[in-house]
Amino acid sequence: ANYDLVTVYDGPSSDYPILGQASGETAGAWTTTSSTLMVVFTSDGSVTKSGWTLKYSVAQQTSAGLCSGTTTLTASTGTITDGSQDTPYVPNMDCSFVIAPAGIAAGQTVQLHFTSFSTESGYDFVTVYDGPTSSSMVLARFSGDTLPADISGTGQAILVRWTSDGSENRDGFTATYSIVDATASQCAPSTTLTMAGDVPVSIQSGMTPYHDTTCNWRIAAPSSDYFMRISFSLCTLAPGDWVYIGFTTGTQSLGYYAEGQGTDIPGILLDLPAAL
C-alpha cells in the first residue's frame, strides 16, 4: 500500500486534477467532469501483488435544470445560475440572462452579486454587458475560481452571458441581482478581468460623481500572443485624483492622468503588454 498506485486524472493528461487514487486492497469509483480521463499505474521495485482490473462505462450528461437560450428577468430581485446545482455543468453551454427590472426608476441601476463561482479558467466565461444586448459594452468577463466582486451597470438593464467549451467542466456559478441607486454604485477595491479574444471590456469609476474611491483592476489578455489597446471615453478628474496605468503601482508607468486634465480625454495607448 502507498507504494504501487493507480491514479485517475479528470482529463486527458496528468496536468488535470486527480479524481482519485487506489492502492493496497482498497479500490474506488469515480465520475469525470468531462468526456476524457487518464489512468496512470506506477509500481516500485520491491513487493509485487496480483495487480488490478478497472471497468469503465459512459453515461449521457443530463441537461435537466441547466440554463439555455435567453431568459428575461423583470422582478426587482432574483437569482441566476448555470443550473448545474450539485454536479458539474456540461460542455458547450451558451445561455443568457437579460436583467431588466420592471420597477427600476431613473437614477437606479442593476447590481450583480456572485455567491459561488468555479469555471474552467480561460475557457468558460461569465460575461456581463452594460445593457440588454451583446452589442452593449462589456463591463467584465469572469473565469476561474475567484469569486468576482459586485458589479453594476450604468443604465437600467444588463445582460449576463454564460458560455462553456467542450472539455473540462466545473461547478459553475450562482449570482443574485438587485436594484441599487446609481449614486451608490462604485468600482470595487480589486477586480481581475480576463479578456477573451478581441472583445472589448469596459472599466469605470462607477458612481457619478465618484467620491472617496480607490479601485484597482488587473487586466489580462488570453495569452502573450495578444497586445491590448486602451482608450478613454470620459476622463474628468478633480484636484488630487488620478488614474495610473502600468504593470504594478509604483513601477513602470504606461500612463498617468491627474488633476489638470479637466474634461480632456487622454489619447489611445497602443501595443500594451498582455497583462496590466
Side-chain angles (χ1 to χ4, degrees):
N2 299 323
Y3 294 98
D4 302 342
L5 290 171
V6 175
T7 304
V8 182
Y9 294 91
D10 192 16
S13 74
S14 58
D15 294 330
Y16 286 76
I18 294 176
L19 274 177
Q21 292 181 315
S23 182
E25 306 298 328
T26 302
W30 305 281
T31 301
T32 67
T33 63
S34 64
S35 58
T36 308
L37 62 80
M38 182 178 186
V39 180
V40 176
F41 174 55
T42 56
S43 64
D44 67 2
S46 58
V47 178
T48 60
K49 294 292 183 75
S50 57
W52 55 276
T53 299
L54 180 148
K55 295 182 179 181
Y56 70 89
S57 61
V58 296
Q60 180 68 41
Q61 289 179 296
T62 177
S63 60
L66 297 177
C67 66
S68 62
T70 299
T71 301
T72 299
L73 302 170
T74 58
S76 58
T77 61
T79 300
I80 63 173
T81 176
D82 63 281
S84 56
Q85 299 181 13
D86 297 328
T87 60
Y89 52 78
V90 301
N92 303 313
M93 294 185 68
D94 188 347
C95 57
S96 297
F97 303 88
V98 177
I99 304 176
I104 196 168
Q108 294 182 317
T109 189
V110 179
Q111 184 175 78
L112 199 63
H113 171 72
F114 288 90
T115 56
S116 65
F117 197 91
S118 178
T119 75
E120 184 185 10
S121 182
Y123 296 94
D124 302 342
F125 293 94
V126 173
T127 306
V128 184
Y129 296 87
D130 192 18
T133 71
S134 57
S135 62
S136 305
M137 180 64 72
V138 174
L139 283 172
R141 176 174 281 106
F142 301 113
S143 182
D145 293 315
T146 301
L147 191 69
D150 292 355
I151 185 168
S152 302
T154 61
Q156 297 179 325
I158 62 172
L159 171 69
V160 181
R161 183 183 180 190
W162 159 240
T163 56
S164 65
D165 70 355
S167 59
E168 183 180 343
N169 306 314
R170 301 291 181 84
D171 291 337
F173 76 96
T174 301
T176 61
Y177 72 87
S178 60
I179 298 173
V180 297
D181 291 337
T183 55
S185 172
Q186 65 181 32
C187 54
S190 179
T191 302
T192 297
L193 301 175
T194 301
M195 302 181 70
D198 58 359
V199 178
V201 172
S202 172
I203 62 175
Q204 57 186 319
S205 57
M207 60 195 302
T208 304
Y210 59 83
H211 176 69
D212 193 21
T213 302
T214 300
C215 303
N216 296 275
W217 294 267
R218 183 183 185 278
I219 308 172
S223 72
S224 59
D225 295 330
Y226 289 82
F227 288 91
M228 287 189 284
R229 171 181 296 179
I230 291 181
S231 61
F232 288 80
S233 59
L234 174 69
C235 187
T236 303
L237 301 173
D241 301 337
W242 49 270
V243 176
Y244 167 89
I245 302 173
F247 297 106
T248 56
T249 302
T251 62
Q252 181 181 354
S253 174
L254 298 171
Y256 183 86
Y257 307 99
E259 61 176 294
Q261 295 291 134
T263 58
D264 294 337
I265 297 177
I268 296 175
L269 300 178
L270 300 175
D271 296 335
L272 301 182
L276 297 174

PDB file of all heavy atoms in Angstrom, residues 35-60:
ATOM      1  N   SER A  35     -15.481  14.320 -20.973  1.00  0.00           N
ATOM      2  CA  SER A  35     -15.584  13.080 -21.745  1.00  0.00           C
ATOM      3  C   SER A  35     -14.274  12.305 -21.841  1.00  0.00           C
ATOM      4  O   SER A  35     -14.204  11.298 -22.548  1.00  0.00           O
ATOM      5  CB  SER A  35     -16.070  13.410 -23.166  1.00  0.00           C
ATOM      6  OG  SER A  35     -15.187  14.317 -23.792  1.00  0.00           O
ATOM      7  N   THR A  36     -13.222  12.730 -21.149  1.00  0.00           N
ATOM      8  CA  THR A  36     -11.915  12.079 -21.232  1.00  0.00           C
ATOM      9  C   THR A  36     -11.304  11.955 -19.853  1.00  0.00           C
ATOM     10  O   THR A  36     -11.443  12.838 -19.015  1.00  0.00           O
ATOM     11  CB  THR A  36     -10.962  12.888 -22.132  1.00  0.00           C
ATOM     12  OG1 THR A  36     -11.577  13.147 -23.378  1.00  0.00           O
ATOM     13  CG2 THR A  36      -9.662  12.127 -22.370  1.00  0.00           C
ATOM     14  N   LEU A  37     -10.605  10.833 -19.606  1.00  0.00           N
ATOM     15  CA  LEU A  37      -9.834  10.688 -18.377  1.00  0.00           C
ATOM     16  C   LEU A  37      -8.505  10.020 -18.692  1.00  0.00           C
ATOM     17  O   LEU A  37      -8.308   9.450 -19.764  1.00  0.00           O
ATOM     18  CB  LEU A  37     -10.601   9.900 -17.313  1.00  0.00           C
ATOM     19  CG  LEU A  37     -11.002   8.444 -17.574  1.00  0.00           C
ATOM     20  CD1 LEU A  37      -9.859   7.467 -17.358  1.00  0.00           C
ATOM     21  CD2 LEU A  37     -12.166   8.054 -16.670  1.00  0.00           C
ATOM     22  N   MET A  38      -7.582  10.088 -17.756  1.00  0.00           N
ATOM     23  CA  MET A  38      -6.285   9.428 -17.890  1.00  0.00           C
ATOM     24  C   MET A  38      -6.032   8.581 -16.653  1.00  0.00           C
ATOM     25  O   MET A  38      -6.241   9.029 -15.520  1.00  0.00           O
ATOM     26  CB  MET A  38      -5.168  10.462 -18.043  1.00  0.00           C
ATOM     27  CG  MET A  38      -3.792   9.849 -18.224  1.00  0.00           C
ATOM     28  SD  MET A  38      -2.513  11.123 -18.455  1.00  0.00           S
ATOM     29  CE  MET A  38      -1.095  10.102 -18.820  1.00  0.00           C
ATOM     30  N   VAL A  39      -5.586   7.320 -16.859  1.00  0.00           N
ATOM     31  CA  VAL A  39      -5.274   6.409 -15.768  1.00  0.00           C
ATOM     32  C   VAL A  39      -3.771   6.110 -15.813  1.00  0.00           C
ATOM     33  O   VAL A  39      -3.240   5.721 -16.868  1.00  0.00           O
ATOM     34  CB  VAL A  39      -6.065   5.091 -15.877  1.00  0.00           C
ATOM     35  CG1 VAL A  39      -5.712   4.157 -14.719  1.00  0.00           C
ATOM     36  CG2 VAL A  39      -7.568   5.371 -15.895  1.00  0.00           C
ATOM     37  N   VAL A  40      -3.086   6.289 -14.694  1.00  0.00           N
ATOM     38  CA  VAL A  40      -1.645   6.053 -14.613  1.00  0.00           C
ATOM     39  C   VAL A  40      -1.371   5.029 -13.522  1.00  0.00           C
ATOM     40  O   VAL A  40      -1.845   5.177 -12.386  1.00  0.00           O
ATOM     41  CB  VAL A  40      -0.880   7.356 -14.301  1.00  0.00           C
ATOM     42  CG1 VAL A  40       0.607   7.068 -14.118  1.00  0.00           C
ATOM     43  CG2 VAL A  40      -1.092   8.371 -15.417  1.00  0.00           C
ATOM     44  N   PHE A  41      -0.627   3.970 -13.866  1.00  0.00           N
ATOM     45  CA  PHE A  41      -0.232   2.943 -12.899  1.00  0.00           C
ATOM     46  C   PHE A  41       1.269   3.038 -12.661  1.00  0.00           C
ATOM     47  O   PHE A  41       2.061   3.035 -13.611  1.00  0.00           O
ATOM     48  CB  PHE A  41      -0.594   1.555 -13.412  1.00  0.00           C
ATOM     49  CG  PHE A  41      -0.093   0.432 -12.539  1.00  0.00           C
ATOM     50  CD1 PHE A  41      -0.409   0.387 -11.190  1.00  0.00           C
ATOM     51  CD2 PHE A  41       0.719  -0.569 -13.064  1.00  0.00           C
ATOM     52  CE1 PHE A  41       0.046  -0.630 -10.375  1.00  0.00           C
ATOM     53  CE2 PHE A  41       1.181  -1.603 -12.256  1.00  0.00           C
ATOM     54  CZ  PHE A  41       0.840  -1.634 -10.907  1.00  0.00           C
ATOM     55  N   THR A  42       1.661   3.121 -11.393  1.00  0.00           N
ATOM     56  CA  THR A  42       3.079   3.164 -11.031  1.00  0.00           C
ATOM     57  C   THR A  42       3.356   2.126  -9.946  1.00  0.00           C
ATOM     58  O   THR A  42       2.535   1.923  -9.038  1.00  0.00           O
ATOM     59  CB  THR A  42       3.482   4.557 -10.512  1.00  0.00           C
ATOM     60  OG1 THR A  42       2.641   4.927  -9.400  1.00  0.00           O
ATOM     61  CG2 THR A  42       3.342   5.608 -11.598  1.00  0.00           C
ATOM     62  N   SER A  43       4.491   1.451 -10.049  1.00  0.00           N
ATOM     63  CA  SER A  43       4.909   0.481  -9.029  1.00  0.00           C
ATOM     64  C   SER A  43       6.382   0.688  -8.722  1.00  0.00           C
ATOM     65  O   SER A  43       7.150   1.146  -9.578  1.00  0.00           O
ATOM     66  CB  SER A  43       4.656  -0.957  -9.507  1.00  0.00           C
ATOM     67  OG  SER A  43       5.447  -1.256 -10.650  1.00  0.00           O
ATOM     68  N   ASP A  44       6.757   0.356  -7.488  1.00  0.00           N
ATOM     69  CA  ASP A  44       8.171   0.495  -7.120  1.00  0.00           C
ATOM     70  C   ASP A  44       8.933  -0.796  -7.434  1.00  0.00           C
ATOM     71  O   ASP A  44       8.423  -1.686  -8.132  1.00  0.00           O
ATOM     72  CB  ASP A  44       8.301   0.903  -5.647  1.00  0.00           C
ATOM     73  CG  ASP A  44       7.834  -0.179  -4.690  1.00  0.00           C
ATOM     74  OD1 ASP A  44       7.436  -1.270  -5.147  1.00  0.00           O
ATOM     75  OD2 ASP A  44       7.888   0.056  -3.470  1.00  0.00           O
ATOM     76  N   GLY A  45      10.132  -0.921  -6.916  1.00  0.00           N
ATOM     77  CA  GLY A  45      10.976  -2.055  -7.293  1.00  0.00           C
ATOM     78  C   GLY A  45      11.008  -3.185  -6.305  1.00  0.00           C
ATOM     79  O   GLY A  45      11.890  -4.056  -6.396  1.00  0.00           O
ATOM     80  N   SER A  46      10.054  -3.256  -5.380  1.00  0.00           N
ATOM     81  CA  SER A  46      10.118  -4.292  -4.339  1.00  0.00           C
ATOM     82  C   SER A  46       8.943  -5.261  -4.432  1.00  0.00           C
ATOM     83  O   SER A  46       8.821  -5.990  -5.411  1.00  0.00           O
ATOM     84  CB  SER A  46      10.197  -3.638  -2.958  1.00  0.00           C
ATOM     85  OG  SER A  46       9.082  -2.794  -2.740  1.00  0.00           O
ATOM     86  N   VAL A  47       8.054  -5.245  -3.451  1.00  0.00           N
ATOM     87  CA  VAL A  47       6.983  -6.233  -3.345  1.00  0.00           C
ATOM     88  C   VAL A  47       6.033  -6.136  -4.531  1.00  0.00           C
ATOM     89  O   VAL A  47       5.674  -5.034  -4.966  1.00  0.00           O
ATOM     90  CB  VAL A  47       6.191  -6.023  -2.028  1.00  0.00           C
ATOM     91  CG1 VAL A  47       5.042  -7.018  -1.925  1.00  0.00           C
ATOM     92  CG2 VAL A  47       7.127  -6.158  -0.844  1.00  0.00           C
ATOM     93  N   THR A  48       5.611  -7.286  -5.070  1.00  0.00           N
ATOM     94  CA  THR A  48       4.630  -7.312  -6.164  1.00  0.00           C
ATOM     95  C   THR A  48       3.385  -8.059  -5.713  1.00  0.00           C
ATOM     96  O   THR A  48       3.444  -8.960  -4.878  1.00  0.00           O
ATOM     97  CB  THR A  48       5.211  -7.995  -7.422  1.00  0.00           C
ATOM     98  OG1 THR A  48       5.585  -9.336  -7.103  1.00  0.00           O
ATOM     99  CG2 THR A  48       6.436  -7.233  -7.923  1.00  0.00           C
ATOM    100  N   LYS A  49       2.254  -7.675  -6.282  1.00  0.00           N
ATOM    101  CA  LYS A  49       0.972  -8.314  -5.994  1.00  0.00           C
ATOM    102  C   LYS A  49       0.312  -8.721  -7.309  1.00  0.00           C
ATOM    103  O   LYS A  49       0.928  -8.637  -8.384  1.00  0.00           O
ATOM    104  CB  LYS A  49       0.063  -7.355  -5.206  1.00  0.00           C
ATOM    105  CG  LYS A  49       0.567  -7.029  -3.800  1.00  0.00           C
ATOM    106  CD  LYS A  49       0.496  -8.249  -2.892  1.00  0.00           C
ATOM    107  CE  LYS A  49       0.927  -7.925  -1.466  1.00  0.00           C
ATOM    108  NZ  LYS A  49      -0.097  -7.179  -0.744  1.00  0.00           N
ATOM    109  N   SER A  50      -0.935  -9.138  -7.253  1.00  0.00           N
ATOM    110  CA  SER A  50      -1.616  -9.669  -8.434  1.00  0.00           C
ATOM    111  C   SER A  50      -2.143  -8.579  -9.364  1.00  0.00           C
ATOM    112  O   SER A  50      -2.646  -8.869 -10.445  1.00  0.00           O
ATOM    113  CB  SER A  50      -2.777 -10.586  -8.015  1.00  0.00           C
ATOM    114  OG  SER A  50      -3.678  -9.882  -7.174  1.00  0.00           O
ATOM    115  N   GLY A  51      -2.032  -7.314  -8.971  1.00  0.00           N
ATOM    116  CA  GLY A  51      -2.400  -6.229  -9.866  1.00  0.00           C
ATOM    117  C   GLY A  51      -3.844  -5.778  -9.736  1.00  0.00           C
ATOM    118  O   GLY A  51      -4.480  -5.960  -8.693  1.00  0.00           O
ATOM    119  N   TRP A  52      -4.402  -5.271 -10.794  1.00  0.00           N
ATOM    120  CA  TRP A  52      -5.711  -4.648 -10.720  1.00  0.00           C
ATOM    121  C   TRP A  52      -6.429  -4.758 -12.059  1.00  0.00           C
ATOM    122  O   TRP A  52      -5.822  -4.973 -13.108  1.00  0.00           O
ATOM    123  CB  TRP A  52      -5.597  -3.177 -10.313  1.00  0.00           C
ATOM    124  CG  TRP A  52      -4.683  -2.380 -11.214  1.00  0.00           C
ATOM    125  CD1 TRP A  52      -3.329  -2.282 -11.123  1.00  0.00           C
ATOM    126  CD2 TRP A  52      -5.061  -1.599 -12.357  1.00  0.00           C
ATOM    127  NE1 TRP A  52      -2.821  -1.506 -12.114  1.00  0.00           N
ATOM    128  CE2 TRP A  52      -3.867  -1.057 -12.896  1.00  0.00           C
ATOM    129  CE3 TRP A  52      -6.275  -1.303 -12.957  1.00  0.00           C
ATOM    130  CZ2 TRP A  52      -3.866  -0.244 -14.015  1.00  0.00           C
ATOM    131  CZ3 TRP A  52      -6.270  -0.481 -14.076  1.00  0.00           C
ATOM    132  CH2 TRP A  52      -5.080   0.041 -14.601  1.00  0.00           C
ATOM    133  N   THR A  53      -7.731  -4.603 -12.000  1.00  0.00           N
ATOM    134  CA  THR A  53      -8.588  -4.537 -13.186  1.00  0.00           C
ATOM    135  C   THR A  53      -9.554  -3.385 -13.000  1.00  0.00           C
ATOM    136  O   THR A  53     -10.107  -3.194 -11.908  1.00  0.00           O
ATOM    137  CB  THR A  53      -9.383  -5.837 -13.382  1.00  0.00           C
ATOM    138  OG1 THR A  53      -8.469  -6.913 -13.552  1.00  0.00           O
ATOM    139  CG2 THR A  53     -10.289  -5.743 -14.619  1.00  0.00           C
ATOM    140  N   LEU A  54      -9.760  -2.622 -14.043  1.00  0.00           N
ATOM    141  CA  LEU A  54     -10.651  -1.464 -13.973  1.00  0.00           C
ATOM    142  C   LEU A  54     -11.729  -1.598 -15.047  1.00  0.00           C
ATOM    143  O   LEU A  54     -11.439  -1.962 -16.185  1.00  0.00           O
ATOM    144  CB  LEU A  54      -9.848  -0.178 -14.176  1.00  0.00           C
ATOM    145  CG  LEU A  54     -10.588   1.168 -14.131  1.00  0.00           C
ATOM    146  CD1 LEU A  54      -9.673   2.239 -13.572  1.00  0.00           C
ATOM    147  CD2 LEU A  54     -11.080   1.585 -15.524  1.00  0.00           C
ATOM    148  N   LYS A  55     -12.949  -1.319 -14.684  1.00  0.00           N
ATOM    149  CA  LYS A  55     -14.052  -1.273 -15.639  1.00  0.00           C
ATOM    150  C   LYS A  55     -14.535   0.164 -15.767  1.00  0.00           C
ATOM    151  O   LYS A  55     -14.585   0.902 -14.784  1.00  0.00           O
ATOM    152  CB  LYS A  55     -15.212  -2.169 -15.183  1.00  0.00           C
ATOM    153  CG  LYS A  55     -14.885  -3.658 -15.155  1.00  0.00           C
ATOM    154  CD  LYS A  55     -16.107  -4.465 -14.735  1.00  0.00           C
ATOM    155  CE  LYS A  55     -15.804  -5.951 -14.726  1.00  0.00           C
ATOM    156  NZ  LYS A  55     -17.004  -6.757 -14.328  1.00  0.00           N
ATOM    157  N   TYR A  56     -14.874   0.555 -16.975  1.00  0.00           N
ATOM    158  CA  TYR A  56     -15.417   1.894 -17.160  1.00  0.00           C
ATOM    159  C   TYR A  56     -16.655   1.852 -18.039  1.00  0.00           C
ATOM    160  O   TYR A  56     -16.851   0.916 -18.817  1.00  0.00           O
ATOM    161  CB  TYR A  56     -14.374   2.836 -17.766  1.00  0.00           C
ATOM    162  CG  TYR A  56     -14.010   2.553 -19.207  1.00  0.00           C
ATOM    163  CD1 TYR A  56     -14.720   3.127 -20.253  1.00  0.00           C
ATOM    164  CD2 TYR A  56     -12.942   1.702 -19.518  1.00  0.00           C
ATOM    165  CE1 TYR A  56     -14.392   2.868 -21.575  1.00  0.00           C
ATOM    166  CE2 TYR A  56     -12.597   1.442 -20.830  1.00  0.00           C
ATOM    167  CZ  TYR A  56     -13.324   2.030 -21.857  1.00  0.00           C
ATOM    168  OH  TYR A  56     -12.989   1.758 -23.156  1.00  0.00           O
ATOM    169  N   SER A  57     -17.477   2.855 -17.889  1.00  0.00           N
ATOM    170  CA  SER A  57     -18.696   2.971 -18.692  1.00  0.00           C
ATOM    171  C   SER A  57     -18.926   4.433 -18.986  1.00  0.00           C
ATOM    172  O   SER A  57     -18.324   5.319 -18.369  1.00  0.00           O
ATOM    173  CB  SER A  57     -19.898   2.376 -17.953  1.00  0.00           C
ATOM    174  OG  SER A  57     -20.121   3.073 -16.731  1.00  0.00           O
ATOM    175  N   VAL A  58     -19.798   4.702 -19.936  1.00  0.00           N
ATOM    176  CA  VAL A  58     -20.125   6.087 -20.278  1.00  0.00           C
ATOM    177  C   VAL A  58     -21.593   6.338 -19.989  1.00  0.00           C
ATOM    178  O   VAL A  58     -22.427   5.427 -20.041  1.00  0.00           O
ATOM    179  CB  VAL A  58     -19.816   6.395 -21.761  1.00  0.00           C
ATOM    180  CG1 VAL A  58     -18.327   6.283 -22.026  1.00  0.00           C
ATOM    181  CG2 VAL A  58     -20.590   5.477 -22.692  1.00  0.00           C
ATOM    182  N   ALA A  59     -21.900   7.574 -19.658  1.00  0.00           N
ATOM    183  CA  ALA A  59     -23.284   7.963 -19.387  1.00  0.00           C
ATOM    184  C   ALA A  59     -23.523   9.338 -19.972  1.00  0.00           C
ATOM    185  O   ALA A  59     -22.627  10.188 -19.989  1.00  0.00           O
ATOM    186  CB  ALA A  59     -23.556   7.964 -17.880  1.00  0.00           C
ATOM    187  N   GLN A  60     -24.713   9.562 -20.451  1.00  0.00           N
ATOM    188  CA  GLN A  60     -25.068  10.854 -21.021  1.00  0.00           C
ATOM    189  C   GLN A  60     -25.261  11.866 -19.908  1.00  0.00           C
ATOM    190  O   GLN A  60     -25.995  11.626 -18.939  1.00  0.00           O
ATOM    191  CB  GLN A  60     -26.368  10.734 -21.824  1.00  0.00           C
ATOM    192  CG  GLN A  60     -26.825  12.033 -22.470  1.00  0.00           C
ATOM    193  CD  GLN A  60     -25.896  12.474 -23.587  1.00  0.00           C
ATOM    194  OE1 GLN A  60     -25.441  11.655 -24.371  1.00  0.00           O
ATOM    195  NE2 GLN A  60     -25.610  13.767 -23.644  1.00  0.00           N
TER     196      GLN A  60
END
